Amino acid sequence: MTLHAFVFARGGSKGVPGKNSRALAGRPLITYSLEMGFLVPGVSRVFVSTDDPEIAGIGRSWGAEIIDRPPELARDDSPEWLAWQHAAAWVASRYGPFERLLSLPATSPMRSIEDVESCVAALK
């Protein structure tokens, strides 16, 4: 089973501008999801789908591959599943088909590795 982890992080935010790159406990919010992606057993690759150069830079510095999200998929009213579809197609075109997409929201830093492993196990 090929499992890839994805962090979907837009640059724009109405409520908290720049929230995904703002510091939480001394490091950018998005890094908690990146770290989780690299910790989950069985994850082949970790990707960041973003429209924001700062978020892309953080992702690269953590070893993630960056997917440039088109502006029409990065608006406040853009359905996230369309960003998932775009990212999955991007990855499949470069690396071939894969079986599982693990979405690790940037705004959920408090999840545990056990919770994520349980979700992955449920998919199997």
Side-chain angles (χ1 to χ4, degrees):
M1 173 186 82
T2 307
L3 173 67
H4 295 315
F6 294 79
V7 181
F8 296 90
R10 297 183 311 111
S13 172
K14 286 182 181 175
V16 182
K19 69 182 169 200
N20 291 313
S21 56
R22 288 179 110 179
L24 174 68
R27 57 190 247 209
L29 177 62
I30 191 175
T31 64
Y32 295 91
S33 294
L34 291 167
E35 180 178 49
M36 186 64 65
F38 287 108
L39 289 175
V40 174
V43 167
S44 300
R45 297 178 188 279
V46 177
F47 298 94
V48 173
S49 169
T50 189
D51 62 320
D52 185 84
E54 184 176 11
I55 292 170
I58 295 167
R60 274 190 206 93
S61 73
W62 274 72
E65 296 181 59
I66 307 305
I67 300 169
D68 292 320
R69 191 185 314 187
E72 65 272 13
L73 298 180
R75 296 186 320 246
D76 283 340
D77 62 347
S78 299
E80 189 168 352
W81 70 268
L82 291 176
W84 293 359
Q85 193 176 53
H86 172 264
W90 187 94
V91 171
S93 73
R94 284 157 182 78
Y95 301 107
F98 62 98
E99 289 81 24
R100 303 283 191 260
L101 181 155
L102 173 62
S103 177
L104 297 168
T107 56
S108 300
M110 301 302 290
R111 71 186 152 256
S112 70
I113 186 74
E114 293 82 14
D115 289 338
V116 177
E117 287 176 330
S118 293
C119 290
V120 171
L123 286 174
K124 294 178 185 178

